[in-house]
Amino acid sequence: MITARILVGLVRLLVGAHGRWLGCEPKPVQRIYFANHSSHLDTLALWAALPPLLRQRTRPVAARDYWGKGGLRGFIAEHGFHAVYIERDREHREGDPLEPLCEALAAGDSLIIFPEGTRSPDPLPQPFKAGLYHLARRHPQAELVAVYLDTLHRAMPKGSLLPVPLTCMVRFGRVLRLAEGEDKESFLQRAHAAVVELA
Amino acid sequence: MSPQQKFWTVMGAVLALLVVASLIGWVLARRARSDGAGEVVANLNARIGAWWWMVAILCVCFLLGRVATLVLFALASFFALREFLTLTPTRRGDHLPLVLCFYLAIPLQYWLIGIDWYGLFAICIPVYGFLLLPAITALGGDTESFLERTTKIQWGLMLTVYCISYAPALLLLHVPGYEGQNLLLLLYLLLVVQISDVLQYVFGKLFGRHKLAPSVSPSKTVEGLLGGGLSAVAVGAGLWWITPFSLWGSAGMSLLIVVAGFLGGLALSAVKRSLGAKDWGQMIEGHGGMLDRLDSVSFAAPVFFHVVRYTLM
């Protein structure tokens, strides 16, 4: 609890990360927040932008190769925002890479994911990977909420060690649902467009 | 009176004014009929609310002394610079200069005040910062709109760190016969600047007819400037007993502060508009961002500091 509070305070000081609920209300229902990814601050910023009640039940999906290596980062990921680790490296994968995510959803938690899979140097997101589609298919009860994080690609661009304090606004867009029989491509395009329209 | 007694006398008066203002705001809010009027009153009440915070912070500052004051202004610079640079388009190649602005320039500037090193405090950013930052940016190798980028970063740094740091730098002055009372000088500066802002706003809302610079700042009017400015000078003159100045000296200093503050508000409105924004941010409820409150201070503080230093030391 204390770690989480300090973390949120630090994020507020550095990048503000205040949420704007444009397309939906901050309700305590199970959700999968998906957003554009341009910096290592994204995870913290989106998580900190949620109201405390929602934040407690929302777990960011974090790459094991960055957040899961122990040290300060590992401590933040484990005790701060209770990361759900995902294995990006194909060689280390055993079985279904989405398994830990599904477990968290089955336990009733909400998730934060970055469907690009890696950080983009641009303000607008790259095409989405298939993970979001598979989650939507397997967990139709969870609401999919598009989120756009601005400014962070300037605050901590790829390859930089220290963040520059710039105010980031976290825009929560509308709720998306996988339509009956909708194929992967068109769903991912729709999800991508929902994030882009918030930019 | 001791400096403490002077401080609390002035603060008592400010608090009484705030109580009256809050009551008026409360009554207006209950009587507002139309949506438009309700919006104006809500904005007024948000401003009054923010004023309570500013007064509370000033009191804490005075109670805890020099270090707390420096930390507080360093934080104000931090947030102001954050706002300025958020609105300024920067590129990947600006990352290192920006990191230096935040993590080196701000602590260094306020530390120099803390250790009483006037010589370096006065030239650190305008000389060393001015020369070093573009050189570091150049090392990054990105020449795309190089001059625009470096200029904007330097403007932000000068304004939000160098200029604002002149307010707590008043603690550096050694005015003969006024030892140990410099926090009162800071209080004087802030009160005159802020009261001038408020009175210009009130006079403008009540009597404003002729717009002064409609394309830059639509809310500034000739009536607001004259009425508000002169009233603020009167208030400032009336505070002569907390300053090292005579009555007329205090009136002159207040006039200087009011004029510099007005020019600051005007110039920064133009900067803000050229960056395509209405407010610098949403940090202070009803006041926009930190820089919306500190724009006039950033111009008034350095001028006030140097005039006091020249005339009294």
Side-chain angles (χ1 to χ4, degrees), chain A residues 15-92:
Chain A
V15 294
H18 293 286
R20 291 280 178 285
W21 296 81
L22 303 171
C24 63
E25 295 298 315
K27 278 187 300 193
V29 294
Q30 187 171 48
R31 279 173 170 169
I32 299 172
Y33 301 95
F34 61 99
N36 59 316
H37 195 20
S38 56
S39 92
H40 285 313
L41 289 172
D42 292 351
T43 314
L44 281 167
L46 208 170
W47 175 76
L50 294 168
L53 206 66
L54 272 60
R55 200 188 299 137
Q56 281 171 18
R57 296 302 311 264
T58 306
R59 302 177 65 190
V61 175
R64 188 179 288 283
D65 52 291
Y66 183 79
W67 289 103
K69 282 190 181 159
L72 181 63
R73 266 198 315 244
F75 182 81
I76 290 174
E78 240 147 83
H79 300 275
F81 57 75
H82 303 287
V84 179
Y85 288 121
I86 190 160
E87 203 69 67
R88 284 196 296 193
D89 196 347
R90 280 177 195 279
E91 290 178 15
H92 288 95

Side-chain angles (χ1 to χ4, degrees), chain A residues 5-21:
Chain A
R5 284 212 174 160
I6 294 173
L7 212 53
V8 171
L10 211 60
V11 173
R12 290 261 185 279
L13 179 73
L14 280 178
V15 294
H18 293 286
R20 291 280 178 285
W21 296 81

Side-chain angles (χ1 to χ4, degrees), chain B residues 2-60:
Chain B
S2 71
Q4 270 74 22
Q5 284 169 326
K6 285 180 181 172
F7 178 84
W8 292 114
T9 311
V10 174
M11 268 307 165
V14 171
L15 285 177
L17 265 178
L18 266 181
V19 170
V20 172
S22 300
L23 281 175
I24 293 175
W26 181 71
V27 170
L28 284 178
R30 293 197 51 165
R31 289 178 51 184
R33 294 275 177 267
S34 67
D35 278 357
E39 207 170 288
V40 171
V41 172
N43 179 276
L44 181 77
N45 282 336
R47 277 171 180 257
I48 295 170
W51 260 83
W52 279 103
W53 277 107
M54 286 195 262
V55 168
I57 288 169
L58 255 170
C59 286
V60 170

Side-chain angles (χ1 to χ4, degrees), chain B residues 39-296:
Chain B
E39 207 170 288
V40 171
V41 172
N43 179 276
L44 181 77
N45 282 336
R47 277 171 180 257
I48 295 170
W51 260 83
W52 279 103
W53 277 107
M54 286 195 262
V55 168
I57 288 169
L58 255 170
C59 286
V60 170
C61 205
F62 197 82
L63 286 171
L64 298 182
R66 189 184 171 99
V67 176
T69 309
L70 287 174
V71 169
L72 194 84
F73 275 91
L75 276 174
S77 281
F78 175 89
F79 286 121
L81 185 62
R82 194 180 82 169
E83 275 169 15
F84 190 99
L85 290 173
T86 299
L87 291 182
T88 309
T90 57
R91 290 164 60 88
R92 177 70 182 89
D94 299 318
H95 193 79
L96 183 56
L98 291 177
V99 162
L100 292 177
C101 287
F102 277 101
Y103 300 114
L104 183 66
I106 295 179
L108 183 62
Q109 181 73 0
Y110 285 91
W111 179 70
L112 290 171
I113 300 173
I115 61 163
D116 233 345
W117 190 350
Y118 169 74
L120 193 54
F121 152 79
I123 65 162
C124 192
I125 290 173
V127 176
Y128 298 107
F130 178 73
L131 300 174
L132 206 60
L133 285 174
I136 292 171
T137 314
L139 281 176
D142 182 359
T143 55
E144 172 76 27
S145 21
F146 181 80
L147 186 58
E148 284 87 338
R149 281 159 49 211
T150 49
T151 314
K152 281 172 183 161
I153 293 175
Q154 299 209 321
W155 232 88
L157 187 64
M158 278 297 284
L159 189 83
T160 60
V161 182
Y162 184 73
C163 289
I164 288 177
S165 76
Y166 266 103
L170 289 168
L171 305 179
L172 274 177
L173 294 172
H174 301 281
V175 179
Y178 194 69
E179 286 84 6
Q181 306 187 41
N182 286 17
L183 270 169
L184 288 174
L185 217 49
L186 175 60
L187 177 68
Y188 175 79
L189 167 74
L190 295 178
L191 274 184
V192 175
V193 167
Q194 299 292 0
I195 284 178
S196 168
D197 275 5
V198 170
L199 290 177
Q200 284 182 44
Y201 171 81
V202 171
F203 273 79
K205 278 266 177 277
L206 292 178
F207 311 111
R209 296 277 178 279
H210 304 90
K211 289 199 188 305
L212 212 132
S215 56
V216 179
S217 181
S219 62
K220 283 194 171 43
T221 59
V222 180
E223 293 81 359
L225 172 63
L226 289 178
L230 289 178
S231 313
V233 170
V235 172
L239 286 171
W240 66 275
W241 51 278
I242 67 165
T243 70
F245 323 124
S246 65
L247 179 65
W248 287 108
S250 181
M253 286 294 183
S254 293
L255 184 64
L256 188 77
I257 292 172
V258 167
V259 170
F262 169 76
L263 295 177
L266 198 67
L268 285 196
S269 278
V271 172
K272 194 164 60 182
R273 267 165 224 282
S274 76
L275 290 172
K278 184 182 156 285
D279 281 329
W280 284 105
Q282 289 105 23
M283 200 167 157
I284 310 178
E285 199 198 349
H287 285 254
M290 184 67 93
L291 261 179
D292 289 296
R293 279 311 82 210
L294 290 181
D295 52 2
S296 25

Side-chain angles (χ1 to χ4, degrees), chain A residues 7-191:
Chain A
L7 212 53
V8 171
L10 211 60
V11 173
R12 290 261 185 279
L13 179 73
L14 280 178
V15 294
H18 293 286
R20 291 280 178 285
W21 296 81
L22 303 171
C24 63
E25 295 298 315
K27 278 187 300 193
V29 294
Q30 187 171 48
R31 279 173 170 169
I32 299 172
Y33 301 95
F34 61 99
N36 59 316
H37 195 20
S38 56
S39 92
H40 285 313
L41 289 172
D42 292 351
T43 314
L44 281 167
L46 208 170
W47 175 76
L50 294 168
L53 206 66
L54 272 60
R55 200 188 299 137
Q56 281 171 18
R57 296 302 311 264
T58 306
R59 302 177 65 190
V61 175
R64 188 179 288 283
D65 52 291
Y66 183 79
W67 289 103
K69 282 190 181 159
L72 181 63
R73 266 198 315 244
F75 182 81
I76 290 174
E78 240 147 83
H79 300 275
F81 57 75
H82 303 287
V84 179
Y85 288 121
I86 190 160
E87 203 69 67
R88 284 196 296 193
D89 196 347
R90 280 177 195 279
E91 290 178 15
H92 288 95
R93 268 186 203 164
E94 287 168 26
D96 181 4
L98 292 180
E99 193 51 43
L101 280 63
C102 294
E103 273 170 26
L105 286 170
D109 290 324
S110 293
L111 291 181
I112 294 173
I113 72 166
F114 298 99
E116 292 164 80
T118 184
R119 288 169 295 151
S120 145
D122 303 315
L124 289 184
Q126 312 285 314
F128 286 176
K129 297 213 163 120
L132 184 65
Y133 168 77
H134 294 303
L135 283 181
R137 209 164 39 100
R138 285 193 228 171
H139 300 272
Q141 83 285 3
E143 290 186 351
L144 304 164
V145 176
V147 184
Y148 183 76
L149 302 147
D150 67 7
T151 330
L152 290 180
H153 63 284
R154 290 201 286 135
M156 201 177 177
K158 230 173 172 167
S160 56
L161 290 173
L162 275 175
V164 171
L166 298 172
T167 318
C168 158
M169 202 193 282
V170 181
R171 300 195 194 99
F172 293 89
R174 55 196 165 86
V175 173
L176 223 68
R177 280 187 194 285
L178 182 64
E180 191 96 16
E182 186 175 14
D183 69 279
K184 194 172 81 182
E185 288 312 312
S186 72
F187 170 76
L188 289 176
Q189 265 172 21
R190 220 151 54 82

